[in-house]
Amino acid sequence: KNYRKTFIAALPKLGYLDERPVFEDERRMVTAWAAGGVEAERAERLKIKEEKEAYDRRNFEAMQEMRKAGFRKRREAMGLPPGDTDPALDEISDDEYVFDEDPPELVEARRRLAAYTARDGEEEPAEMAAARREVAASPGGVREGTWSSSAAENDGEIYLASVRGNQAELSASGAGEGAKAGGPGDDAGPRDDAMGAADTTKARAAQGDATSVLEVAASAPEVVDLDEMD
């Protein structure tokens, strides 16, 4: 049951047992266990924990003292009052930050803008409603509108119709240019002549022409490589 503890206690210089090494803390607890049982082992474990916490606390306090010493030197070099705090934080107050209030004119403008056009079921100031209706009824005034949930759908339909119209114009212009390029009077060039001769060869072979396919192919003009001409 306690064979690991027994081996470690019996072999003071044992450094590794089974699948893990024997560290100093484990050896201290095993030595206490061998001397005083489980209670002595628990007391030694608590002692080790307190020693580690004290060690970490000393390191933290030493680091804090180093920072304060650096702040004191920096404040002295900058000509600031003595202290052990960061001079960059002198202007920062510990009090709660108070936000500046908006000017009354801005608050009133926001209120009027929010109440200018009311949705269905919402209240609108009487004077604002009267002014809006007066502007809408005046010659050349704005037309009084209503809120509609299909506004976004109408915008989408308008956009889709414009895309389709542009596509139709592009298709029509592309068809016209293709017909112009293939019209009479165009200079076909050597590559087109070779393709035409090959088509003629296939047609005569299919019709059983007496002229052999090889003879027709031999009469075709020489294919010119346009890349070599460049």
Side-chain angles (χ1 to χ4, degrees):
K1 181 179 179 180
N2 297 319
Y3 104 96
R4 181 177 176 86
K5 294 180 181 180
T6 304
F7 268 84
I8 295 174
L11 303 173
K13 295 185 178 180
L14 182 65
Y16 205 97
L17 180 61
D18 293 338
E19 73 281 0
R20 64 180 187 274
V22 179
F23 294 105
E24 182 62 27
D25 292 346
E26 183 181 10
R27 180 169 296 280
R28 287 178 56 182
M29 289 184 289
V30 168
T31 303
W33 170 81
V38 178
E39 295 298 331
E41 180 184 1
R42 292 175 180 174
E44 188 66 22
R45 181 181 288 108
L46 180 61
K47 183 179 179 181
I48 292 173
K49 180 181 179 182
E50 292 175 352
E51 290 176 356
K52 289 185 177 180
E53 291 177 353
Y55 176 79
D56 294 339
R57 184 166 52 252
R58 288 194 301 271
N59 285 343
F60 176 77
E61 293 174 354
M63 180 63 67
Q64 289 293 98
E65 185 59 32
M66 291 175 59
R67 295 180 71 248
K68 292 179 180 179
F71 291 151
R72 286 193 291 267
K73 292 181 179 180
R74 187 183 304 175
R75 297 178 73 89
E76 182 180 356
M78 298 174 63
L80 298 176
D84 55 4
T85 58
D86 190 352
L89 304 179
D90 286 353
E91 297 181 358
I92 299 179
S93 175
D94 294 336
D95 299 335
E96 185 177 356
Y97 183 78
V98 179
F99 293 92
D100 296 335
E101 296 184 358
D102 294 333
E105 298 83 1
L106 180 57
V107 176
E108 179 63 19
R110 289 174 178 170
R111 187 192 66 79
R112 293 171 62 87
L113 180 61
Y116 183 74
T117 303
R119 298 175 183 265
D120 294 338
E122 294 182 351
E123 296 183 359
E124 183 179 21
E127 63 276 7
M128 191 65 63
R132 178 170 56 82
R133 294 191 182 95
E134 182 179 355
V135 172
S138 62
V142 296
R143 185 175 59 183
E144 186 172 6
T146 57
W147 289 92
S148 175
S149 60
S150 61
E153 299 178 359
N154 295 336
D155 292 342
E157 294 177 358
I158 294 174
Y159 174 74
L160 183 59
S162 64
V163 171
R164 290 175 177 172
N166 294 335
Q167 184 64 36
E169 293 179 2
L170 291 175
S171 301
S173 61
E177 292 179 358
K180 181 179 179 181
D186 293 341
D187 189 5
R191 189 182 298 271
D192 294 338
D193 292 342
M195 294 177 64
D199 294 339
T200 303
T201 302
K202 294 179 181 179
R204 291 184 178 180
Q207 295 175 1
D209 198 322
T211 306
S212 66
V213 175
L214 295 178
E215 292 176 352
V216 176
S219 63
E222 182 181 359
V223 178
V224 179
D225 192 347
L226 299 180
D227 297 333
E228 294 181 358
M229 294 178 61
D230 295 338

